């Protein structure tokens, strides 16, 4: 049995392209060896060109006998390492991939951050990810749009979170925008956390005093919005987190819970 596993492992290595475009497999293996399981959706078929996509890669590991189904977790199939021999092969694969690819955040990682946010209340890494993407992909033209761009980008990113439907409320007063991440409890009945995001924007040349003023305004507005009937009805039994985010130019300078 052990020799057969090693043969399958060699086949697996030949199937996976080793370049910077495919960091998913390394992060999947890293998760496996650290916590003993991964979650995802098993695919019944896929082309060789798409083998390194996250769910396809997990499915490939499963069909090679390197993962086994161990129930469900947070709405996805839970797959675990079946034995120590496979674990050793996965360690070897992880080391190989570390040497040949630069690991980075991607859509696969973003999905895991979203799940941690919904089920474990781990929200900081999610907003750090949004800030990193905003800073990385902003053009000079985007930067000129200032507050409108930051709010629009944040709203677009949160709209990709499958556990929530972001609702944006804007008042006429300048500089006020908030996003209520409406928890989709009809679909994910075991979700535990919901969020209000109070988003403020300061120009790059604004003073620290201005940033602090915006922070205080955001705290007041978050508390007011959290007490509204709309929010209280929507959150169900989830824990509501009030998150204050302040950008200065394209850089996030405040990200805290109040």
């Amino acid at each position: 049995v052990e020799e057969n596993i090693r043969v399958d492992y060699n086949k697996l290595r030949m199937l996976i392209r080793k370049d910077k475009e495919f960091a998913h497999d390394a992060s999947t293996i890293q998760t496996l060896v650290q916590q003993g399981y991964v979650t995802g959706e098993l695919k019944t078929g896929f082309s060789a060109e798409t083998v390194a996509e996250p769910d396809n890669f997990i499915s490939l590991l499963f069909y090679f006998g390197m993962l086994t189904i161990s129930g469900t977790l947070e709405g996805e199939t839970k797959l675990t390492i079946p034995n120590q021999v496979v674990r050793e092969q996965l360690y070897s694969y992880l080391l190989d991939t570390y040497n040949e690819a630069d690991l980075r955040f991607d859509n696969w990682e973003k999905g895991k951050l979203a799940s941690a946010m919904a089920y474990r209340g781990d929200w900081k890494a999610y907003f750090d990810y949004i800030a990193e993407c905003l800073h990385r992909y902003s053009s000079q033209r985007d930067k000129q749009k200032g507050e409108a761009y930051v709010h629009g980008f944040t709203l677009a990113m949160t709209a990709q979170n499958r556990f929530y439907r972001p609702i944006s409320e804007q008042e006429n007063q300048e500089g006020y925008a908030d996003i209520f991440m409406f928890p989709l409890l009809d679909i994910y009945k075991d979700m535990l956390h919901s969020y209000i995001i109070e988003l403020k924007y300061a120009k790059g040349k604004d003073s620290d005093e201005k940033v602090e003023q915006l922070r205080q305004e955001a705290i007041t507005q978050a508390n007011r919005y959290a007490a509204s009937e709309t929010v209280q009805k929507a959150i169900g039994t989830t824990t509501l987190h009030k998150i204050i985010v302040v950008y200065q130019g394209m850089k996030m300078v405040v990200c805290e819970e109040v």
Side-chain angles (χ1 to χ4, degrees):
V1 174
E2 183 173 330
E3 186 59 35
N4 288 338
I5 290 174
R6 295 188 190 282
V7 170
D8 280 349
Y9 171 69
N10 288 330
K11 290 179 183 177
L12 178 66
R13 291 189 62 188
M14 288 188 291
L15 285 171
I16 303 299
R17 289 173 54 189
K18 298 293 190 67
D19 61 32
K20 294 181 180 180
E21 295 303 314
F22 295 100
H24 315 287
D25 48 318
S27 62
T28 300
I29 300 296
Q30 183 180 31
T31 300
L32 269 171
V33 298
Q34 286 179 342
Q35 67 182 22
Y37 69 89
V38 290
T39 58
E41 178 184 353
L42 288 178
K43 302 291 187 179
T44 56
F46 45 85
S47 66
E49 289 78 12
T50 62
V51 70
E53 292 182 4
D55 283 334
N56 291 350
F57 183 70
I58 289 174
S59 300
L60 190 66
L61 290 174
F62 172 74
Y63 294 129
F64 270 116
M66 303 182 82
L67 291 176
T68 186
I69 296 175
S70 298
T72 60
L73 180 67
E74 298 181 353
E76 295 184 302
T77 302
K78 180 180 179 181
L79 300 110
T80 57
I81 302 172
N83 55 55
Q84 185 60 31
V85 176
V86 172
R87 187 181 301 276
E88 291 174 1
Q89 303 310 305
L90 293 175
Y91 269 118
S92 298
Y93 183 78
L94 178 62
L95 292 174
D96 289 346
T97 312
Y98 271 145
N99 290 333
E100 299 183 39
D102 292 330
L103 300 185
R104 56 181 172 77
F105 280 118
D106 52 25
N107 287 333
W108 173 242
E109 184 72 13
K110 182 174 61 179
K112 292 303 179 184
L113 292 174
S115 178
M117 184 180 181
Y119 284 94
R120 298 196 293 274
D122 297 338
W123 53 267
K124 184 62 166 60
Y126 183 82
F127 291 104
D128 285 343
Y129 172 81
I130 292 177
E132 178 188 341
C133 289
L134 187 147
H135 187 266
R136 182 192 306 165
Y137 297 118
S138 299
S139 66
Q140 189 60 40
R141 183 177 179 182
D142 293 328
K143 293 175 182 178
Q144 292 173 355
K145 297 177 183 177
E147 181 177 5
Y149 173 72
V150 170
H151 181 253
F153 188 94
T154 303
L155 186 60
M157 291 290 284
T158 55
Q160 297 176 36
N161 189 321
R162 65 190 178 98
F163 299 101
Y164 302 93
R165 184 176 76 249
I167 299 174
S168 179
E169 301 285 351
Q170 289 185 281
E171 291 186 350
N172 292 327
Q173 63 191 73
E174 184 179 355
Y176 173 58
D178 57 56
I179 300 172
F180 172 44
M181 298 188 71
F182 187 105
L184 299 178
L185 293 170
D186 289 345
I187 302 173
Y188 305 102
K189 300 183 186 301
D190 56 345
M191 196 194 310
L192 300 175
H193 301 272
S194 53
Y195 297 85
I196 283 175
I197 308 160
E198 283 294 341
L199 183 62
K200 293 290 186 179
Y201 177 83
K203 296 178 181 178
K205 61 183 180 181
D206 284 345
S207 65
D208 291 344
E209 289 76 13
K210 176 63 174 179
V211 171
E212 177 59 22
Q213 177 189 340
L214 292 172
R215 175 180 169 273
Q216 292 297 331
E217 289 177 6
I219 292 173
T220 300
Q221 290 161 352
N223 288 329
R224 185 178 72 229
Y225 193 31
S228 69
E229 184 178 356
T230 300
V231 170
Q232 289 300 313
K233 283 185 176 180
I235 62 175
T237 59
T238 63
T239 298
L240 178 64
H241 300 265
K242 295 171 287 185
I243 309 300
I244 304 302
V245 176
V246 181
Y247 277 86
Q248 189 169 20
M250 295 295 111
K251 182 180 179 182
M252 185 173 69
V253 293
V254 175
C255 183
E256 63 184 28
E257 182 173 2
V258 298

